[in-house]
Structures are given as C-alpha cells and as structure tokens.
Amino acid sequence: MTDSEEIKRRRTFAIISHPDAGKTTLTEKLLLYGGAIHLAGSVKARKTSRYAVSDWMEIEKQRGISVTSSVLQFDYNGCRINILDTPGHADFSEDTYRTLMAVDSAVMVIDVAKGVEAQTKKLFKVCSDRGIPIFTFVNKIDHFGKNPFDLMADIEDVLGIRSCPMNWPIGVNGDYTGIYDREKKLCHLFVKDNAHGVKKLEVISGRIDDPEIVSHLSEEVLSSLKDDLELLEEAGDPFDKDKVSKGELTPLFFGSAMTNFGVQTFLEKYLELAPPPEERETLEGHIAPEDPAFSAFVFKIQANMDPKHHDRIAFLRICSGIFEKGASVLHRQSGKMLRLSQPQQFLATERQTVEKAYPGDIIGIFDTGELGVGDTVCEKKSPVTFIDFPVFPPELFARLSPESSMKRKQFLNGVSQLAQEGAIQIYKQPYIMESFIIGAVGQLQFEVMKYRLEKEYNVTVNVEPISYTCARWTEGDVPPEELIGLDNAMVVYDRRERPVYLLPNAWQAGWLEERNKDVVFLQSPPLGVTRLEGN
C-alpha cells in the first residue's frame, strides 16, 4: 500500500455528547465491531469487574463518568480508525476542546428521549467554529423517545444545522421496534427474547412489503412508516456530501448502543462518508497531509497512565509527513531538537510500540517535561507552527496544600505533573511555598485533582475555596507595581511566570480596567506562540 493510500484510509474522529447520552457505550460497541475488544464493559455495571475500556482511570470506574479523553485505535473494513472519546461533563470542557482540535470529524450522540441538551450545544459550537463535519447518532431507540421529526426540528432550532436521516425509526408515539435503511430500502426489526423480555441483537431484515416484516408490524406502524418516508422524500433535505464537509448538514442515524442495534450499519456508513485527513492551518500557511516534511502538534498531556512509574505521555496528532520511530524533530516552542523514542499507540491504557505512523494517526510519546499542550514538533529543515490553543478562563479558585509537611516533595511533584495536563490552572504566590492557588472551570476538576493526588502520589491534601471568580492577564505582562487599584485583587503567577490578577467578581475586574486605561487586560492567557525561540 502506498503512503498516499495509507493516509486516505485514516479516519480520526471524536465522539461528543451531553453526559449520559450513551457516548462511552457507543465507543465500546464500535471497538467491539472492530475486534479491538471481545467483551464490551457497561458503564452501568459497577457491581461487576467490567468497565468501559475508555474509562481507564479509577475515579471513572467508581463514578461511571468520563473525566479525561481516551485515545482508541483499531482497524475495520480497510480503515485505520482513531477514536477520541471525550468527557461529556461540562467541568471538563477544556479537555474536550483540545481534543476536538485533533480530529477531522465528530460523532454527536443524542438521547432519543431528551434531544439536544446543554453540553451538546456547547460542543457542537466548537465543532461548528472549526468547520468540523458532524455525524449524528440518535441513541436509545429501544426506549421511549421523541418523534423523529421533532428531533430533527430540535437539531435545526437549537444547533442551526439541517439534518438528513440515513435511516428512520419504525414505530409510533416513541415506541420503536426497528429502523428502516433509506438507501438499501430495508427494514431491520429487533425482537424480544421470550425468556427474559429484553431486546437483543438478532434482527429480522427485509423489504417493507415482505411477509415476515408485515407479520411483525401492526397496520398502524406500517402506515406511519410509509407516510414518514414519503414526507422525507418530498420535504426532507437530500444527502449532500459538500454540505456535510462544510458543516451545513449532518447525516442522521438512529440506533441503540446498549443493544448493538444499528451500530454496525452506522459504523460502515460513517467510514464511507467521513473525511480522511485534510490540510491544516499553520502560522506559515496551510500544509497538506501529503507534504513530505513531518509535522505534528501536542493536543493532550496525560500523567500517570502507568501509576507505578509516574510516567507522562504527550499525545501527538500527525498532520504531514511519515513518522518513523526514533525520529529527531524540532520543538518549535523551545528551539531544541527532541528524539521521539518509544512512540506508542493506544487502546485506552493498553499500548503498542509504533514503528511508523501517518497523517491522521495519534501517537503517544514519553515526555520528561519539555512538551506542552499546543506545542509543535516538525522537521528542522521545514519549520511550521500550528496555531496555539485558547485556554478556558477559570471561574473557580481554591488554595491547595498538603495536610502533612512531611509529604511536601510528593505534593510538589504531583501538582507539577497534573498541572501540565492543562485541566487545572496552577498559580504561585510570591514567597509562599507551602501551597498553590488553583483555578478551574468546574468544581469536579478540584475533586478529581484531590483524588488523584491521594491515590497516585499518596498525598492527602486540603482544597479550600477562595472568594475570587475571575482572572485577568495583561498584554505585555505589566508588573503589579505599575498598576493602580489592586486593593481587592490577589496577585499570583502562572506556570510561565506571568502575573495574574484574581478578582472577586466581574465588576471589580471592570473597575481595575477603568483605573488603568493604558493597560490592555485579557480574560485568558496570551497564546503560547510568543514562546517561539527567535520571535
């Protein structure tokens, strides 16, 4: 297979949704069909030893939620698939945002009974702003749900995008018994197991007028299905690949991840329609996957994937050129040459050494602290710089300190490593060495950090909320002594030693800006491209 063919068979996508819509369950079933796992774990079955493969942290297993993005790679139908399973919880939006920078398309999971929910709306906007093609999977149709036309209206009204159903649920008043494949003109019905009264994977398939299909459907259901299909043909949006690629139309699929119903047909159709790796924007211009010079960017740092060794993995999205194990590359932000040794690909925490990787692939590199989220690595002879990631401004702040001064070394080491993942912002106060000020966009981030420090670094810590709600940076890093009106502000320094001004509320922040009219205040840190050597 040629290098060009290898690139074109890549499909790199994220799965996004509101919590509990079934995102992680769908991920598990896709892995099951891809042969990557042989027994899918249920995120509900906490009394058993089976957990979702993508929920690999201990806290995820205990709570049944995803708190960090997982990287999952497997082959199916001739495609090399890179799935990035993202946290659905709003407190981890920043991790999801960074992950979406690394994909070529996204699968949006919607609960058939709830429609478009708040977090789905936020994540969709990120995809829309980046022009990422969206494929929609309406999940849980084995349960009572909304009318599918109402769901289509919900998607258009709330998200502002038209939808094109690729299949259609069979049933009336939210009681669905199967799906109709509009392209192949086939009905697929799921049946109940007589022994347990639950729906199972075995299906009956056939055309709408086949006797076996007719025998399982009431006259009302058949009539409703025919009317719906006729209305879709006359008034629905036709499939348009160009509109999908521009993010103006979303292919819509109905199914049930928990019962496997419709998942395989969705996967196969998605792989047919989804885009391969495409060109990327850099400060120097656009680069194409086929460009021979290697380039990649770091979209995620993960500490302690192997808690016994306190390792640190930098996840790279390859954008151009062919990666080969042991390659020496230029780190644009420091100007140093780095050797990318021991590259790994992942199925959550399971690792496999990579000898060669192509644009679209995600690889993990052991890192000793040189790399940061948003950093670029490339060939020295053809330097490029990927545009840095915006940072979500923190809204909650707390003081973090160890309960025992005897654990100070482990405390400093743990805080340093976990801060590099980017979910929590760490600030130092001048002359205070026993504690840090931490900032986050959600309370759950504090709980996760406390849990991980205790379990992964054996340090019991105190997290004490402080009464500040917003942070301000200044353009040009204006030192505190040059500002007027800092009486109500706490002055701290971020990991790049930039002064940060924490304020009780937005009114106080506005008052500070009013008193210092010659200073430009920023609600988030300046982009890291200013760290480029020689700039």
Side-chain angles (χ1 to χ4, degrees):
M1 191 176 292
T2 66
D3 289 345
S4 178
E5 289 171 335
E6 282 285 0
I7 295 170
K8 288 179 180 177
R9 78 184 189 95
R10 262 60 187 173
R11 299 291 185 273
T12 303
F13 64 98
I15 300 184
I16 61 173
S17 78
H18 193 83
D20 297 325
K23 171 178 55 61
T24 299
T25 305
L26 177 62
T27 302
E28 292 285 299
K29 297 307 169 68
L30 296 180
L31 295 175
L32 188 66
Y33 281 114
I37 57 175
H38 301 291
L39 184 66
S42 167
V43 293
K44 301 295 184 186
R46 295 306 172 200
K47 293 182 180 180
T48 74
S49 60
R50 298 209 326 268
Y51 302 107
V53 171
S54 55
D55 287 344
W56 56 271
M57 280 188 182
E58 191 61 35
I59 191 171
E60 293 179 307
K61 296 176 181 178
Q62 291 186 9
R63 294 197 179 201
I65 58 171
S66 298
V67 301
T68 186
S69 297
S70 295
V71 179
L72 309 151
Q73 291 152 323
F74 63 95
D75 290 324
Y76 185 80
N77 270 12
C79 290
R80 169 58 57 88
I81 300 167
N82 295 275
I83 299 181
L84 288 87
D85 181 32
T86 61
H89 200 289
D91 286 5
F92 298 91
S93 297
E94 190 165 358
D95 190 49
T96 300
Y97 183 95
R98 292 193 297 263
T99 298
L100 289 173
M101 299 290 283
V103 303
D104 300 305
S105 61
V107 173
M108 178 171 64
V109 182
I110 293 176
D111 187 317
V112 70
K114 299 176 181 177
V116 179
E117 298 175 87
Q119 185 65 4
T120 310
K121 185 178 178 181
K122 292 179 182 178
L123 297 174
F124 174 84
K125 186 178 187 307
V126 173
C127 295
S128 179
D129 289 346
R130 285 203 55 233
I132 298 174
I134 299 282
F135 296 77
T136 302
F137 185 84
V138 178
N139 193 24
K140 304 183 182 180
I141 67 161
D142 54 322
H143 294 81
F144 181 84
K146 289 185 176 182
N147 180 287
F149 286 110
D150 291 340
L151 286 168
M152 291 173 65
D154 195 20
I155 291 170
E156 182 176 4
D157 294 343
V158 177
L159 303 180
I161 187 172
R162 302 282 290 181
S163 57
C164 174
M166 309 304 288
N167 61 22
W168 194 252
I170 299 172
V172 292
N173 298 323
D175 183 14
Y176 301 122
T177 58
I179 54 174
Y180 177 84
D181 187 322
R182 295 183 66 201
E183 180 185 27
K184 296 180 180 178
K185 302 187 185 304
L186 288 176
C187 295
H188 302 285
L189 307 181
F190 44 78
V191 296
K192 291 186 177 181
D193 185 311
N194 293 329
H196 303 287
V198 296
K199 292 160 188 170
K200 62 179 183 179
L201 178 60
E202 284 132 337
V203 298
I204 299 170
S205 299
R207 301 186 70 83
I208 198 168
D209 54 356
D210 284 356
E212 190 173 16
I213 296 295
V214 173
S215 69
H216 281 84
L217 299 177
S218 68
E219 187 174 329
E220 181 187 14
V221 169
L222 274 172
S223 176
S224 175
L225 176 60
K226 290 176 181 178
D227 289 345
D228 287 352
L229 295 176
E230 185 177 345
L231 182 58
L232 286 174
E233 289 298 325
E234 293 179 358
D237 287 83
F239 178 77
D240 186 321
K241 195 166 186 177
D242 287 339
K243 287 186 177 181
V244 173
S245 65
K246 293 175 184 176
E248 299 173 357
L249 181 72
T250 178
L252 186 64
F253 299 83
F254 293 84
S256 167
M258 184 63 71
T259 61
N260 287 359
F261 195 77
V263 175
Q264 187 171 13
T265 53
F266 160 72
L267 174 61
E268 292 172 356
K269 195 62 182 178
Y270 165 79
L271 295 177
E272 177 188 329
L273 300 176
E278 298 180 336
E279 66 177 23
R280 293 266 167 172
E281 185 179 356
T282 72
L283 294 181
E284 295 78 14
H286 288 83
I287 60 168
E290 296 78 15
D291 289 347
F294 171 79
S295 68
F297 62 84
V298 180
F299 69 92
K300 177 180 174 63
I301 301 286
Q302 186 68 56
N304 298 323
M305 289 194 74
D306 182 354
K308 294 180 181 178
H309 297 95
H310 292 309
D311 62 349
R312 171 186 155 99
I313 302 294
F315 287 91
L316 306 181
R317 155 70 194 235
I318 300 175
C319 298
S320 68
I322 310 303
F323 170 83
E324 294 188 359
K325 180 181 176 182
S328 292
V329 298
L330 172 66
H331 177 222
R332 283 291 276 153
Q333 278 65 25
S334 69
K336 297 178 181 178
M337 296 298 293
L338 301 178
R339 184 176 175 83
L340 303 184
S341 57
Q342 295 184 302
Q344 313 278 320
Q345 286 186 322
F346 294 84
L347 180 63
T349 54
E350 296 179 18
R351 314 179 187 195
Q352 182 176 353
T353 301
V354 177
E355 299 292 334
K356 205 171 187 179
Y358 296 84
D361 281 340
I362 307 296
I363 60 173
I365 299 294
F366 286 97
D367 178 45
T368 57
E370 295 98 337
L371 296 172
V373 171
D375 286 2
T376 298
V377 293
C378 57
E379 290 187 16
K380 187 174 184 179
K381 63 182 180 181
S382 304
V384 296
T385 314
F386 292 99
I387 296 173
D388 206 353
F389 300 176
V391 176
F392 283 25
E395 300 171 5
L396 300 173
F397 298 89
R399 184 177 299 280
L400 180 70
S401 59
E403 281 193 359
S404 170
S405 59
M406 302 295 290
K407 297 278 189 169
R408 185 171 180 271
K409 184 177 180 180
Q410 295 99 309
F411 172 72
L412 293 176
N413 184 43
V415 170
S416 174
Q417 290 194 10
L418 295 182
Q420 289 167 341
E421 295 181 1
I424 293 274
Q425 305 300 314
I426 304 293
Y427 307 105
K428 297 177 183 177
Q429 285 181 279
Y431 314 114
I432 297 180
M433 305 298 292
E434 294 77 25
S435 65
F436 294 96
I437 301 299
I438 57 176
V441 298
Q443 179 63 36
L444 187 55
Q445 289 181 331
F446 291 154
E447 296 176 28
V448 169
M449 186 164 199
K450 185 176 189 292
Y451 179 93
R452 292 186 65 188
L453 283 169
E454 292 174 355
K455 297 299 180 182
E456 297 174 17
Y457 295 91
N458 196 29
V459 182
T460 304
V461 296
N462 294 314
V463 179
E464 305 169 49
I466 57 176
S467 56
Y468 296 91
T469 64
C470 57
R472 292 293 184 268
W473 285 256
T474 58
E475 200 170 83
D477 298 346
V478 179
E481 54 269 21
E482 295 184 14
L483 296 180
I484 302 170
L486 290 177
D487 298 353
N488 294 317
M490 175 184 285
V491 180
V492 295
Y493 291 83
D494 67 16
R495 66 186 183 92
R496 295 181 187 167
E497 302 299 328
R498 295 175 294 209
V500 185
Y501 306 98
L502 307 186
L503 297 134
N505 50 55
W507 185 89
Q508 293 281 1
W511 189 83
L512 179 64
E513 292 171 11
E514 184 68 25
R515 297 289 300 275
N516 298 272
K517 291 183 179 294
D518 295 334
V519 177
V520 177
F521 288 88
L522 306 172
Q523 294 187 25
S524 57
L527 294 182
V529 293
T530 55
R531 295 188 292 135
L532 288 177
E533 289 295 313
N535 281 10

